[in-house]
Amino acid sequence: MKVFSCSSDFDYSWDEVSTGNWQKYSPWNKKAPHVIAVDTLSRTVDAATGILRTERLITTKQESPRWIKALLGDCETSLVYETSYVDPAAKTVTLCSHNLTWTNILSVRETVTYSPSKTSPLTKTLMTQRAEITAIAGGWERIKNKIESFSVERFQQNAENGKAGFEMVLARAREVFQEERNSTMAKQAAIA
Amino acid sequence: MSASLAPECNESKERYDTCFLRWYSDKFLRGSAQTNDCDSLFRTYSACLTRALKDRGIDNMVQEARNEAQETDAEHLVKGRIPPS
């Protein structure tokens, strides 16, 4: 098993990031062409805790290098299952996901959290990301290692692009919010 | 918004997603939401998606994953969990 983990700050409030999270793979994000669909399976507010629980199915498509294809076959399209939890009182978003396809070869379990930054809780948001990657393909340890290393590298690339893409979504969402507010104020001014 | 894996569900998904996002930012985050205003839009989208998963033969795989989600629920469906630092 190999572990990938990182954390970083976003220069946006937790409200903005937690809302933007639902638009992370919208066309505003030009950095995640590998995510081709995000479907919601269920969504409920837990009566006891007030936590919003969401189940999603994420479809990705990403070209693999030739040696991976030779070993594992053509595994371009994958499905990921995600459960997420938003606690609006504690201001936490937790997203837990794992792969549904190619599970006979590889297990990828990821947890992402968003919470207000400790140093600037009103204006910044801390993201943490941790993934456990295990190659299951039986046989040679060297091959397993190679598959795991490749997956961790791919994860790293996607995580870097993921942050840059999410920043694009957050910037656009802030603009749209501002435009809406301006137009509402203009309308109210016109009435008054 | 992002697309659905089933193109035939895109329209109902878009309507639901738009409703949800507004509910989330205007009501849920402000602590005033008891019920979800978008339930009927969700039911329409969900009916389409359920059919699409079945048509594509991935409904059982998805259901199995959903059945196993209690583990993460036990860990995260808990009030006031301290976020990692």
Side-chain angles (χ1 to χ4, degrees):
Chain A
M1 186 182 83
K2 287 195 165 50
V3 174
F4 167 84
S5 73
C6 71
S7 66
S8 57
D9 268 333
F10 285 91
D11 279 330
Y12 292 86
S13 68
W14 181 83
D15 278 22
E16 284 175 284
V17 171
S18 95
T19 306
N21 169 51
W22 304 115
Q23 295 165 289
K24 185 173 174 187
Y25 298 111
S26 72
W28 291 347
N29 183 343
K30 307 284 184 211
K31 298 268 184 182
H34 64 290
V35 178
I36 57 173
V38 180
D39 281 284
T40 302
L41 298 164
S42 81
R43 187 167 263 146
T44 47
V45 177
D46 183 61
T49 60
I51 292 174
L52 176 71
R53 177 185 188 271
T54 304
E55 291 178 287
R56 298 196 297 179
L57 185 63
I58 297 157
T59 312
T60 68
K61 195 169 184 172
Q62 197 159 22
E63 185 79 25
S64 299
R66 199 176 290 171
W67 70 268
I68 287 270
K69 282 187 192 169
L71 277 172
L72 309 178
D74 201 0
C75 47
E76 276 186 11
T77 304
S78 339
L79 292 171
V80 172
Y81 169 80
E82 175 199 83
T83 33
S84 64
Y85 308 88
V86 183
D87 187 334
K91 291 195 186 288
T92 55
V93 176
T94 309
L95 305 124
C96 307
S97 62
H98 63 86
N99 58 312
L100 288 187
T101 43
W102 317 108
T103 49
N104 53 336
I105 297 159
L106 196 66
S107 155
V108 180
R109 305 193 80 89
E110 185 196 35
T111 305
V112 172
T113 68
Y114 297 105
S115 54
S117 143
K118 294 272 194 309
T119 48
S120 324
L122 296 177
T123 54
K124 289 187 181 187
T125 302
L126 172 73
M127 180 191 85
T128 70
Q129 183 178 21
R130 181 189 157 87
E132 294 176 357
I133 295 160
T134 312
I136 293 158
W140 298 320
E141 210 52 37
R142 272 181 57 199
I143 302 252
K144 273 205 237 185
N145 263 322
K146 210 172 166 200
I147 294 172
E148 287 180 355
S149 298
F150 165 77
S151 306
V152 170
E153 276 165 35
R154 173 64 58 98
F155 220 92
Q156 179 115 37
Q157 283 165 13
N158 285 348
E160 283 165 16
N161 286 330
K163 180 160 198 289
F166 197 9
E167 296 265 9
M168 294 170 118
V169 171
L170 292 167
R172 189 72 193 108
R174 190 179 272 184
E175 278 171 25
V176 168
F177 181 76
Q178 197 61 44
E179 281 162 18
E180 273 181 18
R181 207 163 66 171
N182 290 347
S183 94
T184 310
M185 279 165 70
K187 270 182 210 154
Q188 280 169 350
I191 293 164
Chain B
M1 292 304 163
S2 38
S4 171
L5 66 88
E8 67 271 26
C9 305
N10 273 337
E11 213 182 300
S12 59
K13 178 186 191 297
E14 178 78 28
R15 271 199 290 270
Y16 166 68
D17 279 349
T18 305
C19 176
F20 165 73
L21 204 62
R22 189 151 287 266
W23 171 82
Y24 183 84
S25 60
D26 291 355
K27 296 192 177 170
F28 179 71
L29 287 186
R30 295 178 189 184
S32 63
Q34 289 306 311
T35 57
N36 194 329
D37 306 349
C38 312
D39 279 354
S40 73
L41 289 174
F42 183 74
R43 275 195 295 273
T44 310
Y45 160 53
S46 180
C48 182
L49 182 64
T50 304
R51 211 163 32 240
L53 296 181
K54 205 172 162 68
D55 289 348
R56 285 158 178 75
I58 50 177
D59 53 332
N60 287 336
M61 181 170 73
V62 170
Q63 192 54 51
E64 265 175 46
R66 297 188 65 184
N67 293 344
E68 288 165 13
Q70 287 100 332
E71 255 180 65
T72 48
D73 282 354
E75 192 180 340
H76 298 290
L77 211 50
V78 181
K79 197 164 179 62
R81 207 177 138 266
I82 298 157
S85 48

